[in-house]
Amino acid sequence: MKIQFWGVRGSIAAPGPDTARYGGNTSCVELTTSDGTTIILDGGTGLRVLGIDMLKRPRRGPLHILISHHHWDHIQGFPFFLPVYDAKSKLIIYPFRKGAKEELFSLLDQMDGAHFPVPHGAVPASVTLEEPKGDWRIGSALVRRIPTNHPGGGLSFRIEDQGHAVVYMTDNELDPPAFTTPNSKLADFCRGADVLIHDSQYTSSDIVGKRGWGHSSVEQAVEFALAAEVRCYAMFHYDPQRTDAELDKLAERAVKAMEKGRKGSTAVAASEGLVLEVNSSGVRLSGTAAVRS
Ligand SMILES: [Zn+2]
Ligand SMILES: [Zn+2]
């Protein structure tokens, strides 16, 4: 499997000189399975940049879009995703929780003529909805899901392919006022994953007073990743105020804590352009200047 990060920021896009290296675009991750199938995790503003790249690619199969939940920072890129305006595109969206109609509202009805000039009914791409009942297959991968602890609800996805596993678990509060899913169950869901992409909005010092906001600190995520015996914790969904210099320091500490906590484990701070190759030789990093290993 190949993972490419197109947007790693939480809450709101945060461009500017202090965020240029890790990137200011909101949540969007592309996962390519071993048979070349494209799975897109969330449609934040990073999806716009992915769309530009996709139109340069010679061949495109169906694009499978999984949305963790419908807060703005996870859907806002969709109206600006160029494949939507290409009649050759086939988009498959997997709506959950509230039924297809309501999910469709969240993703496409921001294109209502008032919030965005082109109404979604006028887009040339083929857009279909599929509602799997349990675990399901996308290309060579098996996809599982579990509810996260987040205001308004959310989902985490585990994608398994050729004996490897990647978990996308953003917007998850590891110390919430009330649990939707207990941490022990979430840890079992993540157990042994090669890569765990986890919410890293805060630090132990700035999370104070933010209980119930639906996010976690890097320190909490490290502890959780170690308990779940994951190989690589990928820091993700940063506070819009978090500077590149702060992220460098946080990443250094997370790498040390993961390597000390469990033999063979490590961490990386996701940044726009970062590529993680997951195969039998481990997790290999490439693709971006922000990477410090
Ligand atoms: Zn978010
Ligand atoms: Zn959210």
Side-chain angles (χ1 to χ4, degrees), residues 7 34 89 104 133 177 202 223 233:
S34 61
S89 298
L104 184 64
K133 295 283 176 269
Y202 300 124
E223 196 183 318
Y233 153 45

Side-chain angles (χ1 to χ4, degrees), residues 50-108:
L50 169 58
I52 295 165
D53 191 77
M54 267 181 172
L55 290 193
K56 294 181 200 151
R57 300 179 191 177
R59 279 215 314 270
R60 270 198 332 272
L63 307 175
H64 300 265
I65 304 178
L66 306 181
I67 301 291
S68 66
H69 65 308
H70 297 271
H71 287 161
W72 287 119
D73 51 322
H74 299 260
I75 63 166
Q76 255 179 339
F78 192 80
F80 299 89
F81 184 46
L82 290 179
V84 166
Y85 304 97
D86 179 353
K88 294 194 292 294
S89 298
K90 186 168 163 40
L91 311 182
I92 303 167
I93 301 169
Y94 297 85
F96 305 109
R97 294 189 295 120
K98 297 170 182 169
K101 205 171 164 214
E102 192 164 337
E103 296 292 313
L104 184 64
F105 279 9
S106 307
L107 201 61
L108 293 186

Side-chain angles (χ1 to χ4, degrees), residues 4 101 239 241 243 272:
Q4 184 157 3
K101 205 171 164 214
D239 190 279
Q241 310 278 63
T243 65
E272 284 178 29

Side-chain angles (χ1 to χ4, degrees), residues 69 71 73-74 150-151 153 171 213-215 237:
H69 65 308
H71 287 161
D73 51 322
H74 299 260
H150 196 61
D171 297 60
W213 290 24
H215 300 289
H237 199 281

Side-chain angles (χ1 to χ4, degrees), residues 78-162:
F78 192 80
F80 299 89
F81 184 46
L82 290 179
V84 166
Y85 304 97
D86 179 353
K88 294 194 292 294
S89 298
K90 186 168 163 40
L91 311 182
I92 303 167
I93 301 169
Y94 297 85
F96 305 109
R97 294 189 295 120
K98 297 170 182 169
K101 205 171 164 214
E102 192 164 337
E103 296 292 313
L104 184 64
F105 279 9
S106 307
L107 201 61
L108 293 186
D109 269 8
Q110 55 185 321
M111 303 172 77
D112 61 358
H115 298 86
F116 188 76
V118 182
H120 68 75
V123 304
S126 145
V127 181
T128 55
L129 302 173
E130 285 187 19
E131 289 188 273
K133 295 283 176 269
D135 302 345
W136 77 103
R137 296 211 78 90
I138 298 180
S140 53
L142 178 74
V143 183
R144 299 168 58 202
R145 61 195 177 210
I146 196 169
T148 54
N149 296 303
H150 196 61
L155 285 174
S156 163
F157 302 102
R158 179 181 172 114
I159 296 134
E160 297 175 356
D161 190 6
Q162 291 198 325

